[in-house]
Amino acid sequence: MSHVAVLGIGMMGFPMARRLCEAGLQVSAWNRSRSKADRLAPFGAQVCDTPAEAVAQADAVITLLSDGQTVEDVLFRQGAAEALRTGTVVIDMSSIQPRQARDHAARLANAGVSHLDAPVSGGTLGAEEGTLVIMVGGKAAAFDRVRPVLDVLGRSSHVGPHGAGQLAKLANQMIVGITIGAVAEALLLCEKGGADMAKVKQAITGGFADSRILQVHGQRMIERDFAKRGAVAVQLKDMRNALATAQEIGFEAPITGLFEQLYAQAVDHGLADLDHSALFVELASRNGMA
């Protein structure tokens, strides 16, 4: 696993590919907007004009793309799958639907290529520091082969067969999205009633209500800092993927359904490109506190 191709050099893809370069791996990079991939050249990456060129000599291919349709397009319509060598492992670190991951795995297997769905949690900070949580679905043998690559990026766990990584990511995003709403609503209630939000956050730190969401996103709410790290639009996509998957398997998810509506309304009100903690703004507006 000395040569890794990275397809998708966005907010997550850039710091992750840079870490791979700095770890001494040979990296080839592609992005639809080449200028984003060009930023990796000073770190030693080979910047390619097409996905097929990027993956042609790779031992492992990491995809970090916006959604399942884009992953399918890049792999199967833009020539990447045809250019892969037999024995290559495709590690899809995008957040897509489990059924899409299973479909991609089956199609690649027919060409002698292994597939892992390996979405991540930890945001841009985790990508920069190499502390991502990586949830991996697929065959254990393929996971073992690429473990040294994943170790550069964070802590990886094999959670089951194809699609299981995406299920774990949906669970992660359900918890994140719902907890952001709980923290926002609770802090706004305190402010509306005359309490100091910052002091309330400090008071409940260390208790049962404490969480990383309270500490990180709660602080953003207090500071009104909604610069995009994980966008409202992406959180909405994840909630909709969770609901679509729940419907497929006959599972009722009413809490996720409620929050899908709240994030959708936040998007409708112009908050799509803000950090997902900006659900606070949507709830503040409802209470005349914007």
Side-chain angles (χ1 to χ4, degrees):
M1 292 292 154
S2 60
H3 185 166
V4 181
V6 182
L7 308 181
I9 312 299
M11 292 181 65
M12 296 291 287
F14 174 73
M16 292 167 72
R18 184 182 64 194
R19 286 194 62 83
L20 294 172
C21 290
E22 292 171 344
L25 293 166
Q26 183 181 353
V27 175
S28 52
W30 171 85
N31 194 74
R32 181 179 58 184
S33 302
R34 183 184 169 110
S35 60
K36 292 185 177 181
D38 284 337
R39 297 176 296 163
L40 289 167
F43 299 96
Q46 176 190 359
V47 179
C48 301
D49 292 322
T50 67
E53 180 187 353
V55 307
Q57 301 301 318
D59 303 307
V61 176
I62 293 174
T63 51
L64 285 153
L65 302 165
S66 58
D67 53 46
Q69 289 184 338
T70 304
V71 174
E72 181 169 349
D73 179 66
V74 170
L75 288 179
F76 302 110
R77 296 192 181 92
Q78 296 193 43
E82 294 177 359
L84 291 168
R85 298 183 301 171
T86 300
T88 302
V89 181
V90 173
I91 311 166
D92 185 12
M93 305 186 89
S94 318
S95 293
I96 69 175
Q97 294 184 32
R99 64 171 178 80
Q100 293 172 316
R102 291 191 292 269
D103 175 64
H104 298 166
R107 292 163 72 178
L108 289 170
N110 290 333
V113 173
S114 298
H115 176 279
L116 297 169
D117 49 292
V120 303
S121 179
T124 55
L125 182 60
E128 291 165 0
E129 296 182 347
T131 57
L132 292 170
V133 172
I134 308 168
M135 300 150 274
V136 185
K139 293 184 177 179
F143 172 65
D144 290 339
R145 286 181 61 203
V146 302
R147 187 71 177 267
V149 174
L150 298 178
D151 285 347
V152 175
L153 304 174
R155 176 177 61 83
S156 57
S157 301
H158 183 248
V159 297
H162 296 298
Q166 295 297 345
L167 279 171
K169 178 60 185 288
L170 290 179
N172 183 87
Q173 293 307 94
M174 290 163 71
I175 293 168
V176 168
I178 291 166
T179 307
I180 284 173
V183 169
E185 192 165 276
L187 291 179
L188 283 165
L189 173 71
C190 291
E191 183 173 84
K192 186 80 168 182
D196 184 312
M197 286 198 305
K199 292 181 178 178
V200 170
K201 173 178 169 289
Q202 182 178 5
I204 62 180
T205 292
F208 247 30
D210 199 2
S211 67
R212 184 161 175 79
I213 298 295
L214 175 66
Q215 295 304 320
V216 176
H217 295 78
Q219 190 62 35
R220 292 175 189 172
M221 295 170 192
I222 290 166
E223 296 174 357
R224 285 5 186 226
D225 173 15
F226 301 117
K228 182 170 67 174
R229 288 88 163 180
V232 170
V234 174
Q235 184 68 58
L236 175 60
K237 178 201 75 170
D238 291 336
M239 299 307 245
R240 287 177 170 170
N241 281 345
L243 289 172
T245 300
Q247 184 175 26
E248 287 171 10
I249 64 177
F251 179 79
E252 186 177 356
I255 299 173
T256 302
L258 171 62
F259 277 87
E260 184 274 336
Q261 293 176 35
L262 292 172
Y263 282 104
Q265 289 161 9
V267 168
D268 289 343
H269 296 152
L271 306 179
D273 289 329
L274 297 182
D275 187 77
H276 49 178
S277 57
L279 185 63
F280 178 94
V281 177
E282 172 66 22
L283 295 173
S285 178
R286 287 169 172 246
N287 286 282
M289 301 168 67

